[in-house]
Amino acid sequence: MTATVPAPGAREGTGRRAFDKKAVVPWLFLAPGLLLALVFKFWPMAKGIWLSFFDVRPFLGDKWTGLENYSRVLTDHRFQDAIGHTLILGIGQSVGAILLGFALALLLEGQARSLKFLRTAVFLPAVTATAVVGELWRLMYYPTSDGLLNSGLHFFGVGTVQFLDNPGIALYSTMVMGIWIWAPYNMVIFLAGLAGVDRSLYEAAAMDGVSLWQRLRFVTLPAIRPALMIVLTLATIRGLRVFTEVYVLTGGGPAGSTDVWMTRAYTLGFSRNDIGGASAASVVLLCVTLLLTVLVNHLRKRGEAR
Amino acid sequence: MGDRRRRHRLAAAATVAGLMFGTAACGSGSDSAGNSDPNTLEVWTRSDPDSAATYDRVFAAFTKKTGIKIDYQPVVNFDQQLQSRASTKDLPDVMINDTALMGSYQSQGLLKPIDPASIAGGDRITDKSWSSTVGIDGKHYGIPYSRQAQTLMIRSDWLKKLGLKAPTTWQEMLSVAQAFATEDPDGDGKADTYGMVAPASAQNGYAAMWGASFLWQGGAQIIAPDGKGTYTPAMDSTAAINAVTWMKDNLFCGKKGVVQPGAITAVTATATNFQDGNAGMYMTGPYNITTFDATPGKDKYEVVPAPSGPAGGDVLADGENVYLGARTGKDEKELALASFLVSAEGQKIAMAGTGVHQPVVRIPVNSTLDAAKVRNDARWSVVQKAYEHASEQFPNAPDFAPIKQDTADALNSIFTYCGGDVRSQLKELNDTLAGDLKDQDLLT
């Protein structure tokens, strides 16, 4: 273990004992976290991959079925529909939350006391339990003129909209809630990025008389590129495994129009008692997530190299 | 070897949860010392705290009478917890849970077969109830404990205000629903009332549970037994097409307000319009009586038999069974507990709810008891009559979970797309059901 860690002490040439000690200390601090991750993340994950090859029958003994669970999941038309919904929801939610988060960060950047208050208020959705947010949005989307949004629409002379019960727009209604939840989270990361922007660049830009757009394009965006990459990676992962938002708001309905990969896997595992199939579906998602994360990282490194 | 297998199954439920949410759900953690004590029975029920308080009284009476101790665990997410316990091959000694899950448990080998003759007082349980605990191999795998059937809860004050009578047929029900929706029964001058409540989301199979009564009343069946232990999917029958078409055309795609807004995404927990006071009818089980007595109020609604369809008035019956966990080796004590639970004494304690504490036995399985008399509440005889004379249950022998879920998915989809063709959609459902039965080797 120690051999793989190039400890700074070794380079300073302070001797072998110091090398060991200094290398061990960070691992000691990491140990509890690693142990927890091993027991509660990697072990179950490994078992999940294992189980995805079985017909899982807890008390009778599992039956090896090879890749059958995978072929069943991948050829199920409801899972195929769910891929489409997951992509639309994941991409829409991520892009929306990033744009809104960035806009919020630009608006709320600064030192003033009132801004602190505003930032806290704006951040609230990110710390509220998604289940609670879902219930609130159900009320806001209530499909009569009593609903908050519909009463607003009535005021402008627009008829009642079935936000969640119209299969054509239910997915987009869910997306809006997702953007609302995740934008403030992104905002905080952008705010941290913006804090690192060299102010003199703004002054120089102002002297050169650039437009607001040019200032954003050539000064702000390059400076917050690292923050943007973090947000993008997180959003990719989150977008793919979206579950709670859909589950509490529509349960995948109506008519499966908001069914995403995770709600499908949940139904398979817990409504139909098909643990093997649900594991296979989860493993597929794991692989896709890994691939995408690697891809985003690759693009980031290429971007940095340029 | 055994140890290895045990460990990898332990992870089963936790794993799926872990992959799904990025956090791992631990097992129940109730691998209690009590289970190894030969004089203690570990008992699980699927109960919230309000019902658990009633069970506490039942088990206290049992311990007082027999000296056998009970380690009682009310479990809210029963199925997930049970699966993780099953993976350790260490099940609770006694479980009380829904009748419709018996096929699923039995197919996983979780249950011990039961000889009805070994239950003291088992002869006081009706044949109808006993027949619902016969498994796929002809043996009994559960002891009936509590029964219930759906009835129509209806706002009597609204009926009175509009000069209407409680409906007895589908057509009358539709007229009453339309009157409730349009004639301002609550007198507030606003069009904010609805005919009836429908939890018609596909989530957890609700659309199938709520829609089943309509299917039977229309003469349809989801799957039909052929008497040789196998089944045929029957959702493409003319009766099924007619019943589903009637529901679609009149309740979901007809006039506005017949069912509550948002019905096609509503589950029972979110379909609260009856207790919120803005919907006038709800076909549901008697477990809601305690809730509805608080709001809208005991004097504001009545319990009547469900309206009849073209083929009669059968409603969905359901209930709980006592199950004995496989291979726990405390047979004598388990049977003693089961006998107490179905005895007149045990059932009476379980039927008494105090205040917010829910009664856990709705309709007693002990034929010497009368629900209405025990509770001194005539409304319960409506439920008891519905159960005894006009009810059907989901088939108990097959694993009904996938069948229920697929039926719910299809019904929800039909009710959502008003332009769809019911006949072809039900044909498609029928093919899916055939696949489910084939997976269980139960297709004729």
Side-chain angles (χ1 to χ4, degrees):
Chain A
M1 204 186 273
T2 49
T4 57
V5 183
R11 260 178 271 135
E12 286 156 20
T14 45
R16 202 182 135 72
R17 270 190 64 176
F19 166 83
D20 280 345
K21 224 177 179 177
K22 284 200 173 163
V24 162
V25 169
W27 284 104
L28 276 179
F29 277 105
L30 277 175
L34 278 180
L35 201 69
L36 281 174
L38 192 73
V39 173
F40 291 110
K41 284 232 161 169
F42 298 114
W43 179 247
M45 204 186 273
K47 285 302 170 192
I49 296 170
W50 177 247
L51 283 174
S52 68
F53 299 107
F54 286 89
D55 175 11
V56 180
R57 304 177 306 167
F59 224 69
L60 297 174
D62 302 341
K63 232 174 19 187
W64 174 267
T65 56
L67 291 174
E68 199 194 293
N69 285 330
Y70 287 92
S71 66
R72 201 157 42 85
V73 164
L74 291 172
T75 53
D76 182 348
H77 72 93
R78 283 183 291 197
F79 264 103
Q80 288 164 356
D81 291 348
I83 296 178
H85 299 151
T86 311
L87 287 178
I88 295 174
L89 192 60
I91 293 171
Q93 202 165 292
S94 302
V95 171
I98 287 173
L99 289 179
L100 185 61
F102 186 54
L104 283 172
L106 288 177
L107 289 172
L108 298 179
E109 187 201 9
Q111 300 294 327
R113 193 171 278 273
S114 56
L115 279 178
K116 273 187 188 159
F117 174 77
L118 259 181
R119 278 200 293 257
T120 312
V122 167
F123 190 63
L124 274 177
V127 290
T128 312
T130 318
V132 176
V133 174
E135 282 309 312
L136 288 175
W137 277 76
R138 267 188 85 90
L139 290 177
M140 285 171 37
Y141 278 145
Y142 198 72
T144 72
S145 52
D146 294 340
L148 187 73
L149 288 174
N150 271 316
S151 67
L153 289 176
H154 264 247
F155 185 76
F156 293 107
V158 183
T160 310
V161 177
Q162 306 274 319
F163 289 104
L164 298 175
D165 293 70
N166 179 341
I169 57 174
L171 191 63
Y172 301 97
S173 306
T174 315
M175 191 187 289
V176 171
M177 185 181 95
I179 293 174
W180 187 81
I181 293 175
W182 294 111
Y185 188 82
N186 294 341
M187 174 193 80
V188 171
I189 299 176
F190 281 130
L191 278 174
L194 285 174
V197 179
D198 188 350
R199 300 282 136 177
S200 60
L201 288 176
Y202 284 141
E203 285 161 25
M207 269 205 261
D208 290 344
V210 305
S211 69
L212 184 67
W213 168 244
Q214 284 169 322
R215 205 174 90 171
L216 266 182
R217 171 74 184 77
F218 296 107
V219 181
T220 314
L221 276 182
I224 62 158
R225 184 194 280 276
L228 188 63
M229 281 302 157
I230 293 171
V231 166
L232 209 58
T233 313
L234 290 175
T236 312
I237 296 169
R238 210 162 46 209
L240 286 175
R241 51 150 234 203
V242 56
F243 173 79
T244 326
E245 290 98 313
V246 174
Y247 193 76
V248 296
L249 209 54
T250 62
S257 61
T258 59
D259 234 352
V260 289
W261 194 265
M262 273 342 299
T263 53
R264 227 28 264 162
Y266 184 89
T267 306
L268 203 59
F270 293 122
S271 289
R272 304 179 51 123
N273 294 327
D274 182 359
I275 301 281
S279 297
S282 307
V283 171
V284 170
L285 185 76
L286 180 72
C287 295
V288 175
T289 311
L290 270 178
L291 265 176
L292 271 177
T293 314
V294 169
L295 189 75
V296 170
N297 256 316
H298 174 74
L299 290 177
R300 180 176 62 98
K301 279 191 187 131
R302 226 179 52 176
E304 269 169 10
R306 248 191 309 175
Chain B
M1 173 66 189
D3 192 43
R4 234 185 76 209
R5 285 219 325 242
R6 162 200 274 229
R7 265 184 294 143
H8 86 240
R9 285 196 212 93
L10 167 67
T15 301
V16 175
L19 284 168
M20 278 175 175
F21 309 116
T23 54
C26 311
S28 69
S30 58
D31 194 22
S32 53
N35 207 26
S36 55
D37 176 356
N39 198 34
T40 301
L41 291 175
E42 185 183 2
V43 182
W44 277 26
T45 68
R46 185 173 63 82
S47 304
D48 57 18
D50 285 343
S51 314
T54 306
Y55 275 117
D56 277 333
R57 287 198 295 273
V58 175
F59 296 134
F62 172 72
T63 303
K64 200 173 164 202
K65 197 170 175 182
T66 60
I68 301 170
K69 290 196 198 86
I70 302 288
D71 170 18
Y72 172 49
Q73 314 266 353
V75 184
V76 176
N77 51 344
F78 194 98
D79 288 297
Q80 283 104 307
Q81 298 287 359
L82 186 69
Q83 293 302 335
S84 54
R85 272 296 287 274
S87 62
T88 66
K89 290 216 170 189
D90 172 32
L91 289 168
D93 300 304
V94 178
M95 298 164 272
I96 301 177
N97 201 5
D98 297 353
T99 52
L101 288 165
M102 197 189 83
S104 174
Y105 292 164
Q106 200 254 319
S107 70
Q108 296 176 69
L110 306 184
L111 303 178
K112 215 185 292 192
I114 289 153
D115 175 11
S118 65
I119 305 292
D123 52 343
R124 290 190 204 106
I125 298 173
T126 60
D127 289 344
K128 174 168 178 160
S129 293
W130 270 123
S131 73
S132 67
T133 63
V134 178
I136 205 83
D137 56 1
K139 290 184 197 157
H140 289 270
Y141 283 94
I143 303 136
Y145 178 59
S146 162
R147 287 295 178 264
Q148 64 196 42
Q150 293 194 336
T151 52
L152 187 71
M153 318 266 171
I154 186 164
R155 285 291 292 260
S156 42
D157 56 338
W158 289 14
L159 285 174
K160 205 169 153 197
K161 180 158 193 297
L162 302 181
L164 297 167
K165 278 191 312 196
T168 56
T169 65
W170 282 7
Q171 212 44 54
E172 286 174 26
M173 177 171 68
L174 198 58
S175 322
V176 170
Q178 278 164 3
F180 280 174
T182 53
E183 292 174 25
D184 193 24
D186 61 352
D188 67 351
K190 283 188 251 170
D192 57 357
T193 49
Y194 311 101
M196 60 195 293
V197 180
S201 165
Q203 203 176 339
N204 298 332
Y206 279 116
M209 282 190 276
W210 176 81
S213 299
F214 285 94
L215 290 176
W216 287 319
Q217 288 157 12
Q221 277 179 299
I222 298 175
I223 55 173
D226 58 6
K228 288 175 293 196
T230 50
Y231 294 81
T232 323
M235 281 302 281
D236 62 346
S237 68
T238 313
I241 294 170
N242 290 341
V244 174
T245 306
W246 187 89
M247 291 165 81
K248 175 189 163 180
D249 289 351
N250 295 299
L251 306 182
F252 295 93
C253 300
K255 293 195 175 131
K256 276 208 164 130
V258 172
V259 295
Q260 89 277 20
I264 51 170
T265 48
V267 296
T268 48
T270 53
T272 56
N273 301 66
F274 194 82
Q275 65 255 46
D276 295 346
N278 60 33
M281 288 184 271
Y282 191 5
M283 202 165 71
T284 185
Y287 40 82
N288 272 318
I289 287 181
T290 319
T291 316
F292 294 163
D293 280 355
T295 50
K298 200 173 179 176
D299 54 333
K300 294 226 169 66
Y301 79 104
E302 55 184 320
V303 180
V304 297
S308 302
D314 277 8
V315 287
L316 177 67
D318 201 351
E320 279 91 45
N321 291 333
V322 179
Y323 299 115
L324 306 184
R327 307 171 211 174
T328 58
K330 295 179 190 167
D331 294 25
E332 218 173 284
K333 296 193 176 64
E334 288 164 11
L335 291 173
L337 174 61
S339 301
F340 178 78
L341 288 172
V342 300
S343 70
E345 186 192 354
Q347 296 253 300
K348 266 188 192 164
I349 303 171
M351 283 167 76
T354 54
V356 294
H357 293 170
Q358 287 268 4
V360 293
V361 167
R362 277 87 192 206
I363 297 303
V365 293
N366 191 309
S367 57
T368 62
L369 296 177
D370 181 327
K373 267 192 203 140
V374 173
R375 295 203 174 85
N376 196 18
D377 183 343
R379 295 178 299 177
W380 282 92
S381 72
V382 179
V383 185
Q384 184 150 4
K385 274 194 194 116
Y387 171 69
E388 281 166 6
H389 305 297
S391 72
E392 291 191 45
Q393 305 195 1
F394 285 138
N396 44 289
D399 179 359
F400 202 69
I403 295 165
K404 185 175 83 181
Q405 187 61 48
D406 286 330
T407 308
D409 283 339
L411 288 179
N412 182 260
S413 178
I414 290 169
F415 299 154
T416 301
Y417 293 107
C418 289
D421 173 29
V422 175
R423 184 183 297 269
S424 65
Q425 283 166 302
L426 285 180
K427 177 82 188 64
E428 200 179 310
L429 166 64
N430 219 49
D431 294 342
T432 313
L433 294 180
D436 289 336
L437 286 168
K438 203 164 169 230
D439 286 345
Q440 301 180 39
D441 293 323
L442 289 176
L443 185 64
T444 306

